[in-house]
Amino acid sequence: RTFRRKKDAEELSCGFEDIMKRMRTNVLAIILSGAVTTLAVSDAMAQTQNSRSTYFLEGSTYRHELNPAFMGERGYVSFPGLGNLTIGAQSTGGVGDFIFKKSNGDLTTFMNEEVSSAEFLKGLPKRLKVGVNIDESILSLGFHAWGGFNTFGISVKSNTNFFMPDELFKFMKNGVASETGSSYNVKNLNVVSTNYAEIAFGHAREINERLTVGAKVKALVGLAKATVHIDELNILASQDKWTITPKNAELYMSAKGLIVPTKGETGNYQEDDYILDANGDRTQQLKEGTDGQISYDDLDFDTDNLGPTGFGMAIDLGATYKLNDEWTFSASLLDLGFISWKNTTKGTMSKDFTFDGFSEISVKDDGTNSENKLDNQVDQLVDDLADLAKFDKAGEGMKRTTALAATLHLGAQYTLPAYDRLNFGFLSTTRMQGKHSWTEARVSANVAPLSWFEASVNYALSNFGSDAGIMLNFHPRGFNFFIGADVPMCKYEPAYYAPISRAAVNVNLGINFTFGPKHKRKYKTVETQSL
């Protein structure tokens, strides 16, 4: 399902157009399509902070993004659009949970009859969480003045997360498991996509020889948001029909210029919108309530009416405490804030409906038949899953307020007394976002063998498995370039070079120009004391 642009949409800026495009993609895939989202995590966007591999690199230009109490060694101005670019993705499942090999070596989805239910379900996580992300700095500036270190930044962020229980996939795979029928209770399906711009002002200062504090104030400009929450889908699958009973199911889409038509307005009906006769053949009579359902294929944007669709505020707070020459402790709490959204369309799903089931998917990806390629199988699964989300349009032009996902960092750093260019760090990260919350523990070794070069190697454990990271930071006078990545410690599927099991991946790079002398601490000495 593709984003349909009008001709004059080509005149829009690429950045805003990308956000609108992905917002529509997320709305269409919602919508219960997370089963195959892990195949394409690199194509979506979500909110993240600067790479956590830089947390203990004291020459890193953007450490203040992780803790506003961190002060830069020099002033800097970013290369527009490339000062700090972070792309990441994480999942509690991998392609190995959904893509299998047939006896002849061809790849197939878990729906193929050659894949047994037991084989598919044995490795499936009880709750599938998928997050995909990007954070791009448009312009950033830092300088020492007014008794501390000051920062200004403009950036674009987005946050997309899927949360799905394994019961959904049991239903997809098993369907009618016996002659008497089968029942399923799918609870807590949740999808959130938040896209916004941020203007941030920060200040950090030394209170005394031990304590440094910092804070940021952020003005937020909402660009687009989509939320789906379904408390329950009670499914009764019989030989004749599959009946779906939803409970507390709501859909919200916020974007200026967003056009959300119903099927009755477009006349774009699907096969399962029609009543079948006694022989199972389609009649010309529509099922009751079909006219009021949202037509996802016809979602569009009025390109003459695009722009911000909400405003909000947020703050970051941070502190560091230097116990002695060896030990330093730090903490930060980021993104405490909200966005008030306008131009919101609401959808609800409260009526029972029948579902025709999932299409039979033949699999032979030998390159000779495009209709049977694996990518087409995945597309068909997404289409069938979308048929489970029959939301009625319940209102438009509404307002709603949502909180940002807050992040807590707790850090401890030990510097070797015999070689102070080498330190070891421990960083605990907790993301607070309801069902999409996660925690991570990361240990790192950080070395600065030269005055203009430093590096970090680290290892992390989280809800998304384990990953290893490396960060290289070049910071001679007048210039700064950094590049790093965190990669999963697991097996990969060679055909897609994607993790087979749960994984987290992150890439971070940036180009900046520095100015001024290296910053010298106002308070230089710390009385040494034992722990």
Side-chain angles (χ1 to χ4, degrees), residues 220-332:
L220 310 177
V221 180
L223 300 177
K225 186 176 181 70
T227 302
V228 168
H229 177 74
I230 302 175
D231 275 355
E232 291 186 36
L233 285 178
N234 292 301
I235 304 168
L236 181 61
S238 67
Q239 299 292 339
D240 299 326
K241 63 180 180 179
W242 297 5
T243 303
I244 314 293
T245 302
K247 180 180 179 181
N248 295 333
E250 292 182 330
L251 161 68
Y252 293 93
M253 294 179 285
S254 305
K256 189 173 183 181
L258 177 65
I259 300 172
V260 186
T262 62
K263 294 179 180 178
E265 293 169 339
T266 64
N268 187 5
Y269 300 104
Q270 298 172 290
E271 286 293 321
D272 66 346
D273 290 330
Y274 293 91
I275 295 176
L276 303 180
D277 61 21
N279 298 321
D281 297 324
R282 198 193 86 175
T283 68
Q284 295 301 310
Q285 185 178 356
L286 290 168
K287 295 176 182 177
E288 183 180 357
T290 300
D291 283 345
Q293 293 174 4
I294 293 173
S295 180
Y296 304 116
D297 285 337
D298 296 294
L299 291 178
D300 210 339
F301 288 94
D302 178 359
T303 54
D304 294 326
N305 193 34
L306 298 178
T309 193
F311 297 93
M313 295 288 294
I315 59 171
D316 293 350
L317 301 172
T320 69
Y321 185 80
K322 192 172 180 64
L323 182 63
N324 52 39
D325 290 337
E326 288 81 39
W327 286 97
T328 301
F329 299 92
S330 59
S332 64

Side-chain angles (χ1 to χ4, degrees), residues 150-424:
N150 310 279
T151 58
F152 167 77
I154 301 174
S155 57
V156 176
K157 302 172 182 287
S158 169
N159 182 341
T160 299
N161 292 279
F162 295 81
F163 181 94
M164 285 148 291
D166 60 352
E167 188 76 1
L168 171 64
F169 306 106
K170 292 179 182 177
F171 161 60
M172 294 174 63
K173 178 62 178 175
N174 295 333
V176 184
S178 66
E179 294 183 359
T180 58
S182 303
S183 62
Y184 303 88
N185 183 233
V186 180
K187 292 185 177 181
N188 293 323
L189 289 128
N190 194 277
V191 183
V192 180
S193 176
T194 306
N195 308 269
Y196 64 96
E198 174 185 285
I199 304 173
F201 301 88
H203 179 77
R205 66 168 54 222
E206 299 173 51
I207 302 302
N208 54 43
E209 69 273 13
R210 300 182 186 279
L211 180 65
T212 302
V213 298
K216 281 188 181 183
V217 177
K218 302 176 178 181
L220 310 177
V221 180
L223 300 177
K225 186 176 181 70
T227 302
V228 168
H229 177 74
I230 302 175
D231 275 355
E232 291 186 36
L233 285 178
N234 292 301
I235 304 168
L236 181 61
S238 67
Q239 299 292 339
D240 299 326
K241 63 180 180 179
W242 297 5
T243 303
I244 314 293
T245 302
K247 180 180 179 181
N248 295 333
E250 292 182 330
L251 161 68
Y252 293 93
M253 294 179 285
S254 305
K256 189 173 183 181
L258 177 65
I259 300 172
V260 186
T262 62
K263 294 179 180 178
E265 293 169 339
T266 64
N268 187 5
Y269 300 104
Q270 298 172 290
E271 286 293 321
D272 66 346
D273 290 330
Y274 293 91
I275 295 176
L276 303 180
D277 61 21
N279 298 321
D281 297 324
R282 198 193 86 175
T283 68
Q284 295 301 310
Q285 185 178 356
L286 290 168
K287 295 176 182 177
E288 183 180 357
T290 300
D291 283 345
Q293 293 174 4
I294 293 173
S295 180
Y296 304 116
D297 285 337
D298 296 294
L299 291 178
D300 210 339
F301 288 94
D302 178 359
T303 54
D304 294 326
N305 193 34
L306 298 178
T309 193
F311 297 93
M313 295 288 294
I315 59 171
D316 293 350
L317 301 172
T320 69
Y321 185 80
K322 192 172 180 64
L323 182 63
N324 52 39
D325 290 337
E326 288 81 39
W327 286 97
T328 301
F329 299 92
S330 59
S332 64
L333 188 57
L334 311 178
D335 293 324
L336 287 172
F338 67 92
I339 299 179
S340 294
W341 302 91
K342 302 182 293 183
N343 308 301
T344 299
T345 297
K346 180 180 179 180
T348 60
M349 188 167 58
S350 57
K351 304 172 186 175
D352 293 2
F353 62 91
T354 58
F355 176 61
D356 289 347
F358 296 95
S359 303
E360 291 293 332
I361 301 174
S362 60
V363 184
K364 185 174 178 56
D365 192 9
D366 58 5
T368 61
N369 187 346
S370 61
E371 294 182 358
N372 289 332
K373 288 197 172 195
L374 181 62
D375 289 346
N376 289 337
Q377 299 169 44
V378 172
D379 289 342
Q380 183 62 54
L381 272 178
V382 172
D383 290 342
D384 288 345
L385 282 165
D387 290 339
L388 279 174
K390 295 185 179 297
F391 283 95
D392 296 320
K393 187 174 180 179
E396 56 185 351
M398 304 171 65
K399 297 180 180 180
R400 64 190 299 248
T401 299
T402 60
L404 294 185
T407 303
L408 174 66
H409 291 306
L410 299 174
Q413 178 180 334
Y414 176 73
T415 302
L416 283 184
Y419 184 61
D420 61 5
R421 290 179 177 271
L422 175 64
N423 69 74
F424 299 92

Side-chain angles (χ1 to χ4, degrees), residues 367-528:
T368 61
N369 187 346
S370 61
E371 294 182 358
N372 289 332
K373 288 197 172 195
L374 181 62
D375 289 346
N376 289 337
Q377 299 169 44
V378 172
D379 289 342
Q380 183 62 54
L381 272 178
V382 172
D383 290 342
D384 288 345
L385 282 165
D387 290 339
L388 279 174
K390 295 185 179 297
F391 283 95
D392 296 320
K393 187 174 180 179
E396 56 185 351
M398 304 171 65
K399 297 180 180 180
R400 64 190 299 248
T401 299
T402 60
L404 294 185
T407 303
L408 174 66
H409 291 306
L410 299 174
Q413 178 180 334
Y414 176 73
T415 302
L416 283 184
Y419 184 61
D420 61 5
R421 290 179 177 271
L422 175 64
N423 69 74
F424 299 92
F426 171 79
L427 178 64
S428 169
T429 301
T430 302
R431 184 65 172 267
M432 295 168 281
Q433 196 180 7
K435 293 180 176 62
H436 306 289
S437 299
W438 52 264
T439 59
E440 178 191 84
R442 182 178 296 268
V443 292
S444 63
N446 315 282
V447 62
L450 303 171
S451 62
W452 52 268
F453 172 74
E454 59 187 347
S456 173
V457 291
N458 49 81
Y459 175 80
L461 283 173
S462 73
N463 300 89
F464 305 106
S466 62
D467 65 85
I470 185 170
M471 175 64 68
L472 306 177
N473 183 42
F474 303 86
H475 54 111
R477 180 185 294 271
F479 182 73
N480 169 233
F481 170 73
F482 59 90
I483 185 168
D486 304 319
V487 296
M489 301 293 288
C490 64
K491 294 182 179 180
Y492 289 78
E493 168 53 55
Y496 286 89
Y497 200 70
I500 291 177
S501 59
R502 65 175 61 200
V505 62
N506 189 79
V507 177
N508 183 212
L509 60 89
I511 301 173
N512 299 272
F513 304 99
T514 59
F515 56 85
K518 280 191 175 183
H519 172 65
K520 296 182 179 180
R521 290 183 60 88
K522 181 179 179 182
Y523 302 96
K524 295 183 180 181
T525 61
V526 175
E527 181 182 352
T528 301

